[in-house]
Every structure is written in C-alpha cells, then in structure tokens.
Amino acid sequence: MEPRLLITSDPRNDHQPIIEATYVNIPVISFVNTHDSLRGIDVAIPCNTASKDSVGYMYWLLAREVLRMRDLVSREQEWNVLVDMFVFREPDETEKQAQPSDFAEKPSSYAAWGSTQTESDAVPEEGAGEWGGEQQWTEGGATDNTEWVAEDSGQWDTTGGEGGDAGNW
C-alpha cells in the first residue's frame, strides 16, 4: 500500500518526508508559519506552528472540513468532537493534573499545625507598644480609621492647562 497524500505539521521539522514525497510525486499539504519555506509543498495552510494547541486546532478544522466535503457531517449541525482529541498530552502532564495540588487551602491560622495558638493570639493586644507605633491593634485590624482615598475638592480644571494646578505637571 502506497500513500496518496502527505500532511505535515511543520515544514522545518518534516523536511525529509517532504523531500521524499516530491521524488515520487505525492502531493503535500502542510501547516506553515510565515518563516517557513514552501519548497516541495503543494498546498500551504497558514497557521501558528509553534504551539501544539494551535496545530491540534488546525487538524481539528481540517478533519471537520474533510468530513463535510464528503457529506458525512452536515454544515447545519455542530460537530460534537472536542478539539482536545487532536492535542497530544504527555502522560506525565495528565498525571500531574489528576493529582491533588500541594497548594490546597491551608488553615487561616498563623500557628503551626496542631498548635494551640489562635489567630487572635498572634495579634498584639491593646497597649502592648512592642512595635513603637501609636496604633493599637485589635482582632479586626488597626483602630486608626485613616482613609486612603484622597479628598475630592469638587473642582476640576477645565482650562486645558492654562491655569490652575493642571499646568504644574
């Protein structure tokens, strides 16, 4: 059985099969990027060949169009094959996704696991003065009600930089 068509993902990586296909007059369809040579390629499909997800998506589009041209899939209905079926996944990568993460939710306590210290124990008490500031810490945070939002004077400089503070940039 001899091949009648060669489809390649990247002409740079697949240059040897492309050369051999030209020796025996086998047509070559290839996904190409802007920097790829078209020597030996009969049909070039421009796409991003650097990303495995992009190449997988292009194979998905090509397979869908071939099935539509053969009237095996109607253009009126959606094709129910996922794009993920065309993207190669390393076995190690799928195992890592299946394992639980080490960065799962940790208790919100400052204490080590199994310790009796609570979060309120870690907050300085009123009058402790250990950090030298005038602020007194409570369980809810600082008691100083300092507003971090600048006060609005209600006046905008509409002179276009001719007067007011707008010219002092």
Side-chain angles (χ1 to χ4, degrees):
M1 182 189 234
E2 292 186 23
R4 295 189 297 173
L5 177 68
L6 176 66
I7 301 174
T8 64
S9 301
D10 188 0
R12 279 190 174 180
N13 295 335
D14 301 327
H15 68 279
Q16 188 63 39
I18 292 172
I19 292 171
E20 292 178 11
T22 58
Y23 291 156
V24 290
N25 292 330
I26 296 175
V28 177
I29 298 174
S30 182
F31 299 130
V32 297
N33 211 332
T34 56
H35 59 273
D36 291 329
S37 171
L38 299 179
R39 178 175 290 162
I41 297 173
D42 298 309
V43 177
I45 302 173
C47 71
N48 177 12
T49 59
S51 168
K52 69 178 182 179
D53 296 328
S54 175
V55 172
Y57 180 66
M58 292 305 293
Y59 273 113
W60 181 83
L61 285 174
L62 185 63
R64 185 185 68 176
E65 286 305 312
V66 167
L67 291 174
R68 285 180 174 176
M69 290 173 70
R70 291 182 177 180
D71 289 330
L72 297 175
V73 175
S74 173
R75 290 197 182 270
E76 285 78 35
Q77 67 185 17
E78 189 174 320
W79 196 36
N80 294 329
V81 177
L82 297 176
V83 178
D84 293 345
M85 300 298 292
F86 290 84
V87 178
F88 177 73
R89 305 263 188 239
E90 292 286 340
D92 297 338
E93 184 180 323
T94 55
E95 289 175 7
K96 286 180 184 177
Q97 290 176 353
Q99 292 177 352
S101 173
D102 290 340
F103 300 107
E105 275 191 42
K106 305 240 190 262
S108 64
S109 174
Y110 293 120
W113 185 262
S115 173
T116 58
Q117 184 181 14
T118 63
E119 211 173 294
S120 61
D121 294 339
V123 177
E125 295 176 7
E126 201 169 314
E130 193 174 309
W131 292 345
E134 294 178 14
Q135 281 184 326
Q136 300 299 321
W137 293 86
T138 63
E139 195 169 307
T143 58
D144 184 16
N145 293 330
T146 306
E147 232 1 87
W148 290 91
V149 180
E151 290 187 26
D152 184 18
S153 64
Q155 298 177 0
W156 286 82
D157 181 26
T158 58
T159 60
E162 296 295 323
D165 290 339
N168 295 333
W169 288 83

